[in-house]
Amino acid sequence: MVADSKRGVGRQIHLPLGRAFLISVKSIKIRFWRSVITAAGIFLGIAFLVSVLAQLALQAPPVPKEFAYPNVYVRGMVKRPLDKSMEPGITAKSVIETAGGYATKADKRTVTVVKKEGDRVILDFENAATPDTRLAAGDLVFVPDSGGRLKQLIVALVVLTAAIVGLVLCQRVADRKKRIVSTTAVIVLGIFALSFGLTHSGLTPPKTPKVTVVQSYHTRGELKVPTDQPAGGGVTLEKALATSGGFAGNADRRHVIVIKRNAPKKQVDLKTAQGAALARTLTLGPGDLVYVPDATARNRQIWLVIMSLVVCTIGISNSMLMSVTERFKEIGTMKCLGALDKFVVELFLLEAMLLGVGASFAGWVVGFGLMALLAGATQGWGLLLQLTMVEILRMLGIAVGVGTALTTIATIAPAIRAAQMPPAAALRVEI
Amino acid sequence: MTANEYVVRTKDVAKEFTMGGTTLRALDGVNLDIFRGEYVSIMGPSGSGKSTLFNMIGGLDKPTGGSVFINDVDMAQLDAQELAYLRCRTIGYIFQTFNLIPVMTALENVTLPTIFAGMPTDDGTERGIELLKMVGLGDRLNHKPSELSGGQQQRVAIARSLANNPAIILADEPTGNLDLKTGKEIILLLKELNKDHGVTIISATHDLKMIDVSDRIVWIRDGKIERIEERSEIDLQVGELEGVES
Ligand SMILES: Nc1ncnc2c1ncn2[C@@H]1O[C@H](COP(=O)(O)OP(=O)(O)OP(=O)(O)O)[C@@H](O)[C@H]1O
Ligand SMILES: [Mg+2]
């Protein structure tokens, strides 16, 4: 008889953790969008925190690029366009001679000299009276194409005809959306082809080639005279700082950053004996950068980190409090069905941990990604090479650690409170 | 008469609610003995204490005075684990507001108590399907509560209450949110469980249709039992009431 088998009082078994884990995963899945909203609170906080940390890791400026113009250049309608190493006394005429003289279609009346600074001088060498001009390193001599105008005309005609044919064909496309898209494509292509044709018809001088040379070390930040000095002969960090006139008033001596070209980034605390000793032995090579941060900026950044932690805490506890509170009724129901308090708490903690890990990870990806994109786009992508793997992983660790810990802690209190309520009370809660 | 015959006994059960200095006596010395296999309706005006009594008998709240015995065990003596065991396997609950878990399908809702009872997943699912078929929802296994009508939701709740073969089904106004016809169907379903499976049914209700199927009716007013009637005594009245209704 059914009733008789139920006579004995038993003790409810505690379900294995694996079972609770499966239920939590399922619970997140079945209320997917709700979970996403809850996770968004965690995500935003952590993304903010990580972006502040990333900014701290990327505070040193990019290593300055050094350019040199050791040559003069000859381009355009000469027999052999060339780069000639600079010697005193080179003139426009002499360098054209060296390039094998004018080609047949050369327009001798508008020989252009592009100076290193960007100024242009146009010389009429058809006229024998025109004086020759001396060149300096980095100057470029350009001989235009005498048939350039004709070329431009042909290009313009061809492109315009093609564009008109294209546009007419586009108007025959039946679907409105496709018509707009194809028309736009034809116009864009036409403009592109036209500008390419016009600039490549031998009338405009090309860009002056630059050569990168690395020969100096650089000091930047809170120094009296930030400099770029030749790096030969094993300059020590101490010497480099002295050469830069010493620290400025706001210098943060505890966090001097040394970015070596071929080694991981170092942070030196010059207020300790150890750091001072290191400064005497650490030598700087070409392309190395010493950056002295601003102490007040650092305080601001620490303040920002604290603020972002506060934002995280508030955002996360708010999210978790909401997500537990709106499920009081569900908790009451589960207890009516035989759930132990411990199991309810376990369920919510597991769910919180899963959400915490997932959302913090996403926060790290986005916070770090955005900061890296921003820094790369504004200061050059080379800046990102300054980040070390350790720094990136440490940010990940902080993000996931802080996010998960806060989420779990914020869940414990309301979950325990809900689980300990008599089911009748939990069921009465309306939100 | 052996003690075994009583599945539920309440002894001087009292419940007071204190809110902002004023004390409200929702139950005031309720003595009620319910036989195994009985169908008992608890009737009374709104605010008379039906739901409060339901919570006391079901172990969903603690009385402030007196004791409740389930199968001769004083519920006050049970620890949290024993109480959970009781709620899981001995009592099945049905609520006016259904209290299904909104994000879960009908089948998942019905299977939930089997999970808490430690039943393997496959067995639980099998049991859930069997129960949903029994309440006529074999084709609605994967519907969410929001995709079911009120009557269908209450059927799911009934199926859920039966998941672990309880000896007692406690129902608090199971037909309160349903129309006349659906309410009648639910009542007949409960009666069937009572007759065919020997489940004791205790139902708080306003629904006079319930009188038809009850073995006894407990009338309460202001937290006290006013009178208890055997069905035989009130057959006549019901006849009158049905006449009024139709
Ligand atoms: N948690 C609570 N806190 C304070 N007062 C309560 C609480 N629960 C019930 N009461 C009070 O106890 C009394 C009995 O309430 P109960 O819900 O048991 O009535 P009921 O008979 O179920 O009424 P209804 O038919 O309207 O459901 C009411 O006066 C109610 O206000
Ligand atoms: Mg009630």
Side-chain angles (χ1 to χ4, degrees):
Chain A
M1 183 59 204
V2 172
D4 267 316
S5 67
K6 299 290 155 194
R7 293 216 15 97
V9 174
R11 301 179 70 77
Q12 185 71 316
I13 45 160
H14 186 64
L15 293 177
L17 202 63
R19 195 94 196 226
F21 184 77
L22 288 181
I23 296 179
S24 329
V25 172
K26 202 164 152 198
S27 176
I28 292 177
K29 260 202 240 157
I30 54 185
R31 57 188 102 233
F32 182 75
W33 289 110
R34 193 70 197 83
S35 307
V36 166
I37 292 172
T38 309
I42 306 166
F43 164 83
L44 285 177
I46 293 299
F48 183 32
L49 176 66
V50 172
S51 67
V52 172
L53 292 177
Q55 209 187 353
L56 257 171
L58 285 169
Q59 60 176 332
V63 178
K65 279 217 173 69
E66 297 169 77
F67 296 113
Y69 300 92
N71 299 329
V72 292
Y73 307 92
V74 190
R75 297 285 186 272
M77 291 293 132
V78 288
K79 294 229 169 75
R80 290 189 312 273
L82 52 75
D83 306 352
K84 179 158 177 30
S85 59
M86 181 58 202
E87 289 154 25
I90 293 185
T91 64
K93 272 184 183 165
S94 77
V95 89
I96 291 172
E97 286 289 285
T98 321
Y102 296 106
T104 31
K105 286 197 314 181
D107 180 359
K108 293 178 208 166
R109 281 167 310 163
T110 56
V111 173
T112 312
V113 177
V114 183
K115 307 295 289 176
K116 180 182 157 193
E117 301 78 28
D119 302 338
R120 291 180 184 194
V121 183
I122 294 174
L123 301 160
D124 182 0
F125 284 153
E126 187 86 0
N127 182 348
T130 310
D132 200 358
T133 180
R134 276 175 181 272
L135 297 179
D139 290 356
L140 178 135
V141 178
F142 176 68
V143 183
D145 185 345
S146 59
R149 289 276 166 236
L150 187 66
K151 268 193 202 164
Q152 284 187 333
L153 195 69
I154 295 170
V155 165
L157 277 175
V158 169
V159 170
L160 283 178
T161 318
I164 290 170
V165 172
L167 285 176
V168 168
L169 288 178
C170 286
Q171 295 321 303
R172 297 199 170 174
V173 175
D175 184 63
R176 205 180 106 87
K177 255 191 202 154
K178 280 186 189 157
R179 194 164 62 227
I180 294 176
V181 169
S182 56
T183 309
T184 320
V186 166
I187 293 174
V188 169
L189 265 175
I191 292 175
F192 190 76
L194 197 63
S195 65
F196 185 84
L198 293 185
T199 48
H200 285 75
S201 43
L203 286 177
T204 36
K207 276 220 173 72
T208 310
K210 284 181 189 171
V211 177
T212 317
V213 291
V214 180
Q215 50 198 7
S216 311
Y217 69 84
H218 317 274
T219 60
R220 293 287 183 273
E222 297 303 303
L223 290 160
K224 293 226 173 75
V225 197
T227 49
D228 308 293
Q229 294 286 329
V235 188
T236 61
L237 174 59
E238 191 179 44
K239 177 111 184 298
L241 291 169
T243 312
S244 309
F247 293 110
N250 258 344
D252 179 1
R253 289 158 212 234
R254 310 203 76 112
H255 301 94
V256 173
I257 296 169
V258 179
I259 296 163
K260 306 273 296 169
R261 210 147 74 96
N262 298 311
K265 173 161 42 174
K266 271 201 183 66
Q267 190 168 298
V268 186
D269 182 351
L270 287 171
K271 284 223 164 140
T272 62
Q274 215 180 354
L278 183 61
R280 278 192 288 278
T281 54
L282 185 66
T283 57
L284 299 174
D288 291 354
L289 172 81
V290 176
Y291 177 69
V292 183
D294 183 337
T296 51
R298 185 170 187 90
N299 288 341
R300 245 194 335 266
Q301 271 150 345
I302 290 173
W303 170 243
L304 260 180
V305 170
I306 294 173
M307 279 309 293
S308 59
L309 272 173
V310 171
V311 170
C312 269
T313 312
I314 293 175
I316 291 175
S317 37
N318 186 46
S319 289
M320 295 325 287
L321 187 65
M322 273 302 295
S323 83
V324 179
T325 310
E326 73 184 5
R327 284 164 67 188
F328 268 26
K329 206 160 173 168
E330 185 180 323
I331 293 171
T333 308
M334 288 206 290
K335 287 187 67 179
C336 289
L337 303 180
L340 286 172
D341 298 5
K342 213 167 107 190
F343 181 78
V344 171
V345 175
E346 214 174 272
L347 208 61
F348 275 80
L349 283 189
L350 280 172
E351 227 182 287
M353 271 162 75
L354 287 172
L355 273 184
V357 170
S360 318
F361 184 77
W364 171 76
V365 169
V366 171
F368 177 70
L370 272 183
M371 255 345 196
L373 279 179
L374 201 71
T378 55
Q379 304 189 60
W381 300 102
L383 181 63
L384 300 185
L385 294 177
Q386 292 180 8
L387 285 170
T388 59
M389 209 54 195
V390 175
E391 277 178 318
I392 297 175
L393 290 180
R394 194 174 51 209
M395 275 185 255
L396 175 62
I398 291 176
V400 172
V402 169
T404 312
L406 281 180
T407 310
T408 315
I409 291 169
T411 311
I412 285 180
I416 288 182
R417 192 169 91 80
Q420 284 180 345
M421 271 186 179
L427 284 173
R428 278 176 77 93
V429 175
E430 292 289 345
I431 49 149
Chain B
M1 193 184 285
T2 64
N4 194 8
E5 283 181 71
Y6 292 119
V7 65
V8 175
R9 297 172 65 199
T10 71
K11 195 161 176 302
D12 294 327
V13 166
K15 177 73 182 176
E16 286 177 353
F17 292 107
T18 315
M19 297 162 298
T22 61
T23 309
L24 188 133
R25 240 177 138 71
L27 288 180
D28 192 3
V30 173
N31 288 296
L32 180 62
D33 298 339
I34 296 171
F35 296 105
R36 195 169 299 286
E38 219 183 354
Y39 193 130
V40 176
S41 287
I42 300 168
M43 292 210 157
S46 187
S48 53
K50 301 185 295 294
S51 295
T52 310
L53 184 59
F54 168 94
N55 288 337
M56 298 303 131
I57 295 175
L60 304 183
D61 207 348
K62 288 196 164 63
T64 42
S67 333
V68 177
F69 299 86
I70 303 280
N71 291 328
D72 288 324
V73 180
D74 184 352
M75 259 206 277
Q77 306 299 319
L78 300 181
D79 66 18
Q81 265 177 299
E82 289 165 336
L83 213 52
Y85 184 95
L86 185 90
R87 292 185 196 127
C88 186
R89 296 159 213 253
T90 311
I91 306 176
Y93 304 85
I94 301 171
F95 303 90
Q96 177 178 356
T97 48
F98 319 139
N99 290 1
L100 298 176
I101 295 183
V103 291
M104 291 188 181
T105 63
L107 184 57
E108 287 167 338
N109 265 290
V110 177
T111 315
L112 200 54
T114 68
I115 293 179
F116 295 137
M119 202 187 274
T121 319
D122 291 346
D123 298 0
T125 307
E126 203 174 296
R127 173 89 180 131
I129 295 174
E130 176 194 326
L131 286 169
L132 281 169
K133 278 188 181 149
M134 191 187 94
V135 297
L137 290 176
D139 55 345
R140 293 281 197 281
L141 300 179
N142 296 314
H143 284 57
K144 297 261 172 68
S146 58
E147 300 158 355
L148 296 171
S149 74
Q152 287 168 336
Q153 289 185 52
Q154 196 58 298
R155 282 164 192 273
V156 175
I158 292 175
R160 182 180 67 181
S161 73
L162 292 168
N164 292 325
N165 272 321
I168 308 162
I169 284 187
L170 264 176
D172 191 6
E173 305 199 31
T175 60
N177 275 349
L178 305 177
D179 66 36
L180 222 70
K181 183 169 158 290
T182 325
K184 202 162 211 158
E185 280 167 20
I186 296 295
I187 290 170
L188 288 177
L189 184 59
L190 288 176
K191 183 65 194 174
E192 203 179 291
L193 292 171
N194 172 247
K195 263 208 314 238
D196 301 352
H197 300 266
V199 185
T200 308
I201 303 220
I202 305 167
S203 174
T205 187
H206 283 296
D207 193 340
L208 294 171
K209 293 192 294 298
M210 201 70 113
I211 293 175
D212 243 358
V213 296
S214 307
D215 298 319
R216 280 193 300 164
I217 294 106
V218 180
W219 296 89
I220 70 173
R221 180 179 291 276
D222 296 334
K224 290 197 182 75
I225 294 185
E226 198 178 39
R227 64 180 194 281
I228 299 179
E229 293 172 321
E230 300 283 330
R231 194 187 21 186
S232 49
E233 299 170 25
I234 52 165
D235 268 349
L236 194 88
Q237 291 171 327
V238 174
E240 284 167 9
L241 282 166
E242 279 189 338
V244 171
E245 254 175 25
S246 55

Coordinates of all heavy atoms in Angstrom, one line a residue, chain A residues 44-57 59 295-313 371 374 398 402:
Chain A
L44 N 30.1 44.8 -17.1 CA 30.4 46.3 -17.2 C 31.5 46.7 -16.1 O 32.4 47.4 -16.4 CB 29.2 47.1 -17.0 CG 28.2 47.1 -18.2 CD1 27.0 47.9 -18.0 CD2 29.0 47.6 -19.4
G45 N 31.2 46.2 -14.9 CA 32.1 46.5 -13.8 C 33.6 46.1 -14.1 O 34.5 46.8 -14.0
I46 N 33.7 44.8 -14.6 CA 35.0 44.2 -14.8 C 35.6 44.9 -16.0 O 36.8 45.2 -16.0 CB 34.9 42.7 -15.0 CG1 34.4 42.1 -13.6 CG2 36.2 42.1 -15.4 CD1 35.4 42.3 -12.5
A47 N 34.8 45.2 -17.0 CA 35.4 45.8 -18.2 C 36.0 47.1 -17.9 O 37.1 47.5 -18.3 CB 34.3 46.0 -19.3
F48 N 35.3 47.9 -17.0 CA 35.8 49.2 -16.5 C 37.1 49.0 -15.8 O 38.1 49.7 -16.1 CB 34.7 49.8 -15.6 CG 35.1 51.2 -15.2 CD1 35.9 52.1 -15.9 CD2 34.6 51.6 -13.9 CE1 36.2 53.3 -15.5 CE2 35.0 52.9 -13.5 CZ 35.7 53.8 -14.3
L49 N 37.1 48.1 -14.8 CA 38.3 47.8 -14.0 C 39.5 47.4 -14.9 O 40.6 48.0 -14.8 CB 38.0 46.7 -13.1 CG 39.2 46.2 -12.2 CD1 39.6 47.3 -11.2 CD2 38.8 44.9 -11.4
V50 N 39.2 46.5 -15.9 CA 40.3 46.1 -16.8 C 40.8 47.2 -17.6 O 42.0 47.3 -17.9 CB 39.9 44.8 -17.6 CG1 40.9 44.5 -18.6 CG2 39.6 43.7 -16.7
S51 N 39.9 48.0 -18.1 CA 40.3 49.1 -19.0 C 41.2 50.1 -18.2 O 42.2 50.6 -18.8 CB 39.2 49.8 -19.6 OG 38.4 50.5 -18.6
V52 N 40.9 50.3 -16.9 CA 41.8 51.2 -16.1 C 43.2 50.5 -15.9 O 44.2 51.1 -16.1 CB 41.2 51.4 -14.7 CG1 42.1 52.2 -13.8 CG2 39.9 52.3 -14.9
L53 N 43.2 49.2 -15.7 CA 44.4 48.5 -15.5 C 45.2 48.5 -16.8 O 46.5 48.6 -16.8 CB 44.2 47.0 -15.1 CG 43.6 46.8 -13.7 CD1 43.3 45.4 -13.4 CD2 44.5 47.4 -12.6
A54 N 44.5 48.3 -17.9 CA 45.2 48.3 -19.2 C 45.9 49.6 -19.5 O 47.0 49.7 -20.0 CB 44.3 47.9 -20.3
Q55 N 45.1 50.7 -19.1 CA 45.7 52.0 -19.3 C 46.9 52.2 -18.5 O 47.9 52.8 -18.9 CB 44.6 53.0 -18.8 CG 44.7 54.3 -19.5 CD 43.7 55.3 -18.9 OE1 42.9 55.0 -18.0 NE2 43.8 56.5 -19.4
L56 N 47.0 51.6 -17.3 CA 48.1 51.7 -16.4 C 49.3 51.0 -17.1 O 50.4 51.4 -17.0 CB 47.8 51.1 -15.1 CG 47.6 52.0 -13.9 CD1 47.1 51.2 -12.7 CD2 48.9 52.7 -13.6
A57 N 49.0 49.8 -17.7 CA 50.1 49.0 -18.3 C 50.6 49.7 -19.6 O 51.7 49.4 -20.0 CB 49.5 47.6 -18.6
Q59 N 50.9 53.1 -20.0 CA 51.1 54.5 -19.8 C 52.3 55.0 -20.4 O 52.4 56.2 -20.7 CB 51.1 54.8 -18.3 CG 52.2 54.0 -17.6 CD 52.3 54.4 -16.1 OE1 51.9 55.5 -15.7 NE2 52.8 53.5 -15.3
A295 N 53.8 61.3 -10.6 CA 53.3 60.8 -9.4 C 51.8 61.1 -9.2 O 51.0 60.3 -8.7 CB 54.1 61.3 -8.2
T296 N 51.4 62.3 -9.6 CA 50.0 62.7 -9.3 C 49.1 61.9 -10.3 O 48.0 61.5 -10.0 CB 49.8 64.2 -9.5 OG1 50.3 64.5 -10.8 CG2 50.4 65.0 -8.4
A297 N 49.6 61.6 -11.5 CA 48.9 60.8 -12.5 C 48.7 59.4 -11.9 O 47.6 58.8 -12.0 CB 49.6 60.7 -13.8
R298 N 49.7 58.9 -11.2 CA 49.6 57.6 -10.6 C 48.5 57.6 -9.6 O 47.7 56.7 -9.5 CB 50.9 57.2 -10.1 CG 50.8 55.8 -9.6 CD 52.2 55.2 -9.2 NE 51.9 53.8 -8.9 CZ 51.9 52.8 -9.8 NH1 52.3 53.1 -11.0 NH2 51.6 51.6 -9.5
N299 N 48.5 58.6 -8.7 CA 47.5 58.7 -7.7 C 46.1 58.7 -8.3 O 45.2 58.1 -7.8 CB 47.7 60.0 -6.9 CG 48.9 59.9 -6.0 OD1 49.3 58.8 -5.7 ND2 49.4 61.0 -5.5
R300 N 46.0 59.5 -9.4 CA 44.7 59.5 -10.1 C 44.3 58.1 -10.6 O 43.2 57.7 -10.5 CB 44.8 60.5 -11.3 CG 44.0 61.7 -11.2 CD 43.8 62.5 -12.5 NE 44.8 62.4 -13.5 CZ 45.8 63.2 -13.7 NH1 46.0 64.2 -12.8 NH2 46.7 63.1 -14.7
Q301 N 45.3 57.4 -11.1 CA 45.0 56.1 -11.6 C 44.6 55.1 -10.5 O 43.7 54.3 -10.7 CB 46.2 55.5 -12.4 CG 46.1 56.0 -13.9 CD 47.4 56.1 -14.5 OE1 48.5 56.2 -13.9 NE2 47.4 56.2 -15.9
I302 N 45.3 55.3 -9.4 CA 45.0 54.4 -8.3 C 43.5 54.7 -7.8 O 42.7 53.8 -7.6 CB 46.0 54.6 -7.1 CG1 47.3 54.0 -7.5 CG2 45.4 54.0 -5.8 CD1 48.4 54.3 -6.5
W303 N 43.2 56.0 -7.8 CA 41.9 56.4 -7.5 C 40.9 55.8 -8.4 O 39.8 55.4 -8.1 CB 41.8 58.0 -7.5 CG 40.5 58.6 -7.4 CD1 39.9 59.4 -8.3 CD2 39.6 58.5 -6.3 NE1 38.7 59.8 -7.9 CE2 38.4 59.2 -6.6 CE3 39.6 57.9 -5.1 CZ2 37.4 59.4 -5.8 CZ3 38.5 58.0 -4.2 CH2 37.4 58.7 -4.6
L304 N 41.2 55.8 -9.7 CA 40.4 55.3 -10.8 C 40.2 53.7 -10.5 O 39.0 53.2 -10.7 CB 41.0 55.4 -12.2 CG 40.4 56.6 -13.0 CD1 41.1 56.6 -14.3 CD2 38.9 56.4 -13.2
V305 N 41.2 53.1 -10.2 CA 41.1 51.6 -9.9 C 40.2 51.4 -8.7 O 39.3 50.6 -8.8 CB 42.5 51.0 -9.6 CG1 42.3 49.6 -9.0 CG2 43.4 51.0 -10.8
I306 N 40.3 52.2 -7.7 CA 39.4 52.1 -6.5 C 38.0 52.4 -6.9 O 37.1 51.6 -6.6 CB 39.8 53.1 -5.4 CG1 41.2 52.6 -4.8 CG2 38.8 53.1 -4.3 CD1 41.8 53.6 -3.9
M307 N 37.8 53.5 -7.7 CA 36.5 53.8 -8.2 C 35.9 52.6 -9.0 O 34.7 52.3 -8.8 CB 36.5 55.0 -9.1 CG 36.5 56.3 -8.4 SD 35.2 56.5 -7.1 CE 33.8 56.5 -8.2
S308 N 36.7 52.1 -9.9 CA 36.2 51.0 -10.7 C 35.8 49.8 -9.9 O 34.9 49.1 -10.2 CB 37.1 50.6 -11.8 OG 38.3 50.2 -11.3
L309 N 36.6 49.6 -8.8 CA 36.3 48.5 -7.9 C 34.9 48.7 -7.2 O 34.1 47.8 -7.0 CB 37.4 48.3 -6.8 CG 38.5 47.4 -7.2 CD1 39.6 47.4 -6.2 CD2 38.0 46.0 -7.4
V310 N 34.7 50.0 -6.8 CA 33.4 50.4 -6.2 C 32.3 50.1 -7.1 O 31.3 49.5 -6.8 CB 33.5 51.8 -5.7 CG1 32.1 52.3 -5.2 CG2 34.5 52.0 -4.5
V311 N 32.5 50.6 -8.4 CA 31.5 50.4 -9.4 C 31.2 48.9 -9.6 O 30.0 48.5 -9.6 CB 31.9 51.0 -10.8 CG1 31.0 50.6 -11.9 CG2 32.0 52.5 -10.7
C312 N 32.2 48.1 -9.7 CA 32.1 46.7 -9.8 C 31.2 46.1 -8.6 O 30.3 45.4 -8.9 CB 33.5 46.0 -9.6 SG 34.3 45.7 -11.1
T313 N 31.6 46.5 -7.4 CA 31.0 46.0 -6.2 C 29.5 46.3 -6.3 O 28.6 45.5 -6.1 CB 31.6 46.5 -5.0 OG1 33.0 46.4 -5.1 CG2 31.1 45.8 -3.7
M371 N 40.8 49.1 -24.8 CA 42.0 50.0 -24.4 C 43.1 49.8 -25.4 O 43.7 50.8 -25.8 CB 42.4 49.6 -23.0 CG 42.0 50.6 -21.9 SD 41.5 52.0 -22.7 CE 41.5 53.3 -21.7
L374 N 42.3 51.5 -28.7 CA 42.3 52.9 -28.5 C 43.8 53.4 -28.5 O 44.2 54.3 -29.2 CB 41.6 53.3 -27.2 CG 41.2 54.7 -27.1 CD1 40.0 54.9 -28.0 CD2 40.8 55.1 -25.7
I398 N 43.2 39.1 -12.4 CA 42.5 40.0 -11.5 C 41.1 40.1 -11.9 O 40.2 40.1 -11.1 CB 43.2 41.4 -11.6 CG1 44.6 41.4 -11.0 CG2 42.3 42.5 -10.9 CD1 45.4 42.7 -11.1
V402 N 38.5 38.9 -9.2 CA 37.7 39.9 -8.6 C 36.2 39.7 -9.0 O 35.3 39.7 -8.1 CB 38.1 41.3 -9.0 CG1 37.1 42.4 -8.6 CG2 39.5 41.7 -8.4

